[in-house]
Amino acid sequence: MLNISRGGFYFATSAPLQVGMPIEATLRMPSDLTGSTHEETHCRARVVHVRNQPYGDGRIGFGAEIEAFLPNGNSK
């Protein structure tokens, strides 16, 4: 994870993601953002930005907007 906020996060991966794709993620967010003492937060998000130039290791950067926080990592 490269950057994180209450509304979204920016990360790099070699996975072939595209703008609009839904993703689920487990994030380690500071408690001042979540209001919770839990280290890990599970969420459903959508890719909203793709960095056009790859990093030196070949990974691409993606911005994702959090749509919903999920209890216990379960999307049900």
Side-chain angles (χ1 to χ4, degrees):
M1 194 72 52
L2 301 175
N3 191 341
I4 190 165
S5 71
R6 181 180 297 272
F9 52 95
Y10 181 79
F11 64 103
T13 182
S14 57
L17 302 177
Q18 296 178 8
V19 169
M21 290 182 80
I23 58 174
E24 285 193 17
T26 300
L27 311 173
R28 289 184 185 222
M29 296 176 70
S31 61
D32 58 327
L33 290 179
T34 64
S36 168
T37 58
H38 298 291
E39 277 191 41
E40 293 184 342
T41 300
H42 307 283
C43 68
R44 182 173 39 249
R46 188 162 306 277
V47 176
V48 294
H49 173 76
V50 178
R51 183 178 188 257
N52 291 328
Q53 193 171 44
Y55 290 98
D57 61 4
R59 295 179 305 156
I60 300 291
F62 298 93
E65 181 178 295
I66 296 171
E67 296 181 332
F69 289 98
L70 305 173
N72 302 322
N74 189 347
S75 60
K76 294 179 184 175

